[in-house]
Amino acid sequence: MSNQLLAVCLDCGHTFDYIPIPITCPRCNSAWLEAHYDYSSLGMALPASLYHRPFNLWRYRELLPVADYNPDLTLGEGGTPLVRAINLGMMLGCPNLFIKDERQGPTNSFKDRQAAISIYALKEAGITEAVLASTGNVAIAYSAYAARAGIKLWAFLTSLVPIEKMREVAFYGTQVVKVTGSYDQAKQVAAEFARQRDLYLERGARSIPSVESMKTIAFEVCEQLAYYHDYAGKNALTESNFDDSSPRLVKFQAPDWYLQSVSGGIGPLGVQKGFFELKEMNLTNRIPAMGNIQAEGCAPMVHAWRKGEEVAEPVKVPRTHIATLSTGDPGRTYTLLFQRMKKSAGGVFESVSDEETFHTMHILAKMEGISVEPAAAVAFAGLVKLVRAGKIKPDDVVVINCTGHTMPVEHDILGDGWSKDVEYPSQALGETPQEGLLAALSRITPDRYALIEIVDDLPDARRLIRRVLQAQGEYTLLEASNGSEALEIAQHELPDLIILDLMMPEMDGFSVLDALKSNAKTGAIPVIVVTAKELTPEEEKRLRGRIHALMQKGEFMSDELMDEVRSVLD
Ligand SMILES: Cc1ncc(COP(=O)(O)O)c(C=O)c1O
Ligand SMILES: [Zn+2]
């Protein structure tokens, strides 16, 4: 396959053959360069090459600034799973949410892609010592790859980086330099250090290998989405995505939205370039809208976007606990993103508070089984916000980059009292060890749990509510899948609360409610209605004064239901 790689200067337009590192434009000396490939021939040849290659970042090597694949340097980067967010999707009323799980990279963040390609380029260029500034994860990822490649690394970290991350960087043999000050200041110190020592400095968005690495997220996502045949009829993919004569994929599938948390913005910049290239190669037919989400306390891009400005004014003092996202001055990266979003299917810059982030992070763990670090959770909090604002529509296909792993912030989120302590019993007189243990355990459980009956004909809906209740409290749960079963259980068990669906075949929720209320035994049991039905005024009247709360399916998060449950049971 041809791999004619060119560098194009973003300032004067000069085009020249790409060389790995360190490069500036030979005509105007600009450091803002972009890689260009021969897209028409690549588009034709790529599907056949991909068919024979394992699912990792290197399967797209012709679209990367690498001369050859060096198996000695790889740590298994790329090829992360795309998982469907079933429960989050049900809560938000958006069934087509997909999580690109970048936690599953070698050092647990999407920065592994950047490190793999950049360290590869350094090695190719014969560089053996390098300098970078980081908010944490870049330093961790580069440190791992530098260790493998035999490159000495200096990592300048702002003192706000959690100590666990710093330790991890040092653990790989990197020299950590802690800079008391902001991330932007740490960058200045690193640049000055590199200049004085004449060492290679990692330049983020001004480094072709760094930006190019991020494209592989777009490539993978669009390949992976093409294999989901069944997402709610929306863009449902058919055999036409495959070549008749072989199971080879010939069309990729771009999502409607791609969301990611943003600090310096190299992630979205590279991913967006990947989406453009797929379209250019005729492998997809659209560019997704970008949802670039920043932490409210450090959101220079969001401020500029709201004002419609192409240049972001730096935030001098970031005010967020999420140090990973504390780039105060995004520089030209914002401008490039802005211009490309205006050119393509658009999107938004949005910000979320630390509280919203921690909150969503906890929901994601409890409801989806995915534990992420705050910097990654920002994207999910942004998702909730964009869905609620109606920007993301119910049938949109949305991919959220789950950019990184959990860091120990549990104390902030869980507060105290989340564990129960059992002291192993010393044996009391006349007691067997078994009896002592039982007594010790009985001290941590109440005599009786509140009894809640869940009534819904749809097993998935029952499962979601069961999960909400299981994850946030201790209850005895009963389930009924139709109206008559619901009444039978209610009369026998006298639950403390009934969570009732309205639309059920045979006997609907209104009739169940009538029967409950007209029976002396069950008339006083509180009822929370959870329904997908748009109520008519007449129907609202039938419920008024007879139920504790009305909740609309697909429009509430787990803890909002819990607030209602607790207000009944307390
Ligand atoms: C986990 C995580 N998410 C998101 C980001 C933001 O990435 P970007 O540099 O693309 O703005 C980072 C940056 O380090 C990160 O580590
Ligand atoms: Zn130039």
Side-chain angles (χ1 to χ4, degrees):
M1 196 187 293
S2 76
N3 182 16
Q4 202 208 346
L5 178 50
L6 300 171
V8 179
C9 175
L10 291 178
D11 285 303
C12 75
H14 181 56
T15 301
F16 54 100
D17 282 338
Y18 169 81
I19 42 153
I21 292 172
I23 45 170
T24 50
C25 172
R27 195 199 274 166
C28 77
N29 212 28
S30 167
W32 288 92
L33 304 170
E34 193 175 70
H36 277 221
Y37 305 77
D38 179 357
Y39 296 112
S40 60
S41 63
L42 280 173
M44 281 186 286
L46 197 64
S49 325
L50 292 181
Y51 182 54
H52 299 285
R53 293 179 182 167
F55 193 62
N56 63 39
L57 166 157
W58 297 96
R59 69 196 261 101
Y60 312 105
R61 68 191 73 141
E62 288 84 0
L63 285 151
L64 293 170
V66 295
D68 209 355
Y69 168 51
N70 182 349
D72 291 347
L73 290 185
T74 180
L75 283 165
E77 50 284 350
T80 56
L82 185 73
V83 296
R84 198 160 182 171
I86 301 285
N87 290 328
L88 196 60
M90 272 205 276
M91 288 190 287
L92 290 171
C94 292
N96 304 318
L97 302 183
F98 294 88
I99 298 176
K100 181 64 171 161
D101 193 1
E102 290 291 294
R103 296 174 311 164
Q104 300 200 36
T107 76
N108 311 102
S109 89
F110 77 121
K111 294 293 185 182
D112 285 322
R113 296 174 189 269
Q114 188 181 334
I117 304 291
S118 298
I119 295 288
Y120 172 95
L122 291 184
K123 179 103 176 158
E124 232 179 15
I127 290 168
T128 56
E129 194 168 348
V131 179
L132 56 75
S134 168
T135 57
N137 289 340
V138 166
I140 292 173
Y142 275 66
S143 294
Y145 285 88
R148 242 178 129 72
I151 291 172
K152 178 177 168 67
L153 202 61
W154 296 81
F156 288 71
L157 303 174
T158 137
S159 43
L160 302 170
V161 171
I163 190 73
E164 292 81 2
K165 285 197 195 239
M166 292 203 187
R167 227 182 266 130
E168 179 87 357
V169 175
F171 192 54
Y172 285 114
T174 290
Q175 179 58 59
V176 171
V177 184
K178 208 194 292 183
V179 181
T180 306
S182 69
Y183 171 51
D184 292 326
Q185 289 163 336
K187 273 203 287 202
Q188 284 169 18
V189 179
E192 178 54 24
F193 177 82
R195 196 190 60 75
Q196 283 177 10
R197 299 272 192 114
D198 197 21
L199 293 176
Y200 175 77
L201 174 72
E202 163 61 37
R203 287 154 202 266
R206 282 167 300 160
S207 147
I208 283 183
S210 291
V211 175
E212 294 296 291
S213 70
M214 292 300 176
K215 292 186 328 194
T216 57
I217 296 173
F219 298 163
E220 287 179 17
V221 160
C222 294
E223 246 197 290
Q224 286 170 307
L225 274 180
Y227 284 97
Y228 274 95
H229 289 244
D230 64 334
Y231 36 97
K234 167 78 179 185
N235 305 316
L237 288 156
T238 61
E239 276 65 37
S240 67
N241 289 301
F242 297 89
D243 191 322
D244 279 348
S245 56
S246 75
R248 180 191 303 162
L249 196 65
V250 292
K251 272 279 183 222
F252 291 17
Q253 183 66 40
D256 295 301
W257 280 89
Y258 171 83
L259 268 58
Q260 178 164 338
S261 342
V262 177
S263 182
I266 189 170
L269 192 68
V271 174
Q272 191 186 40
K273 183 167 188 272
F275 287 130
F276 272 104
E277 288 184 346
L278 286 174
K279 182 148 182 289
E280 177 98 27
M281 291 186 289
N282 205 21
L283 289 169
T284 56
N285 51 22
R286 60 176 167 178
I287 308 286
M290 304 290 286
N292 300 319
I293 320 294
Q294 296 205 286
E296 203 167 270
C298 186
M301 301 195 194
V302 181
H303 302 159
W305 178 260
R306 287 189 186 138
K307 288 188 265 178
E309 285 170 3
E310 276 197 31
V311 177
E313 192 175 317
V315 168
K316 293 237 165 52
V317 186
R319 294 192 198 285
T320 167
H321 288 107
I322 308 168
T324 307
L325 299 184
S326 61
T327 301
D329 182 4
R332 190 166 180 177
T333 305
Y334 166 73
T335 305
L336 292 173
L337 277 170
F338 177 95
Q339 289 165 344
R340 286 165 198 182
M341 279 162 65
K342 293 284 175 195
K343 201 167 102 182
S344 65
V348 290
F349 287 82
E350 186 52 272
S351 62
V352 291
S353 67
D354 288 6
E355 288 72 24
E356 288 170 304
T357 300
F358 291 154
H359 187 156
T360 310
M361 178 174 162
H362 201 185
I363 289 176
L364 195 61
K366 283 184 295 190
M367 298 302 296
E368 217 66 77
I370 294 182
S371 170
V372 305
E373 70 171 272
V378 160
F380 290 88
L383 166 76
V384 174
K385 200 161 178 177
L386 294 180
V387 169
R388 293 198 157 167
K391 292 207 171 109
I392 292 178
K393 303 280 182 289
D395 63 352
D396 282 347
V397 176
V398 184
V399 171
I400 307 110
N401 187 343
C402 179
T403 46
H405 67 152
T406 290
M407 293 303 296
V409 292
E410 285 83 353
H411 190 264
D412 293 359
I413 295 179
L414 294 176
D416 295 320
W418 47 270
S419 72
K420 292 184 178 186
D421 302 330
V422 177
E423 206 171 316
Y424 195 82
S426 57
Q427 218 172 316
L429 203 62
E431 217 179 39
T432 67
Q434 185 71 16
E435 284 164 342
L437 200 53
L438 281 176
L441 287 174
S442 73
R443 262 169 249 133
I444 61 162
T445 50
D447 293 340
R448 178 184 180 275
Y449 291 110
L451 189 60
I452 303 180
E453 180 180 353
I454 305 167
V455 186
D456 202 308
D457 58 315
L458 301 174
D460 275 349
R462 291 202 301 275
R463 177 176 53 75
L464 183 75
I465 293 172
R466 187 169 72 229
R467 180 64 204 150
V468 169
L469 296 166
Q470 283 171 336
Q472 321 207 26
E474 287 174 291
Y475 306 102
T476 302
L477 303 177
L478 301 167
E479 294 183 29
S481 60
N482 60 59
S484 52
E485 200 186 343
L487 293 175
E488 205 178 298
I489 292 176
Q491 293 201 9
H492 271 105
E493 307 289 341
L494 297 178
D496 300 292
L497 167 67
I498 297 174
I499 299 181
L500 179 65
D501 179 29
L502 289 181
M503 279 194 297
M504 294 185 289
E506 286 154 39
M507 188 180 201
D508 68 10
F510 293 103
S511 313
V512 172
L513 190 65
D514 289 341
L516 286 169
K517 294 295 164 192
S518 62
N519 181 316
K521 266 173 88 179
T522 56
I525 299 173
V527 175
I528 294 176
V529 169
V530 174
T531 181
K533 189 170 168 43
E534 285 287 344
L535 297 185
T536 63
E538 191 54 37
E539 287 169 331
E540 274 181 28
K541 221 168 102 194
R542 281 181 77 181
L543 297 179
R544 200 168 303 146
R546 309 173 80 200
I547 62 170
H548 175 81
L550 173 67
M551 311 205 70
Q552 208 72 36
K553 278 183 187 170
E555 281 184 12
F556 64 87
M557 297 298 272
S558 48
D559 49 340
E560 289 158 348
L561 176 59
M562 272 319 292
D563 287 346
E564 296 297 348
V565 169
R566 290 199 182 104
S567 87
V568 170
L569 298 178
D570 290 351

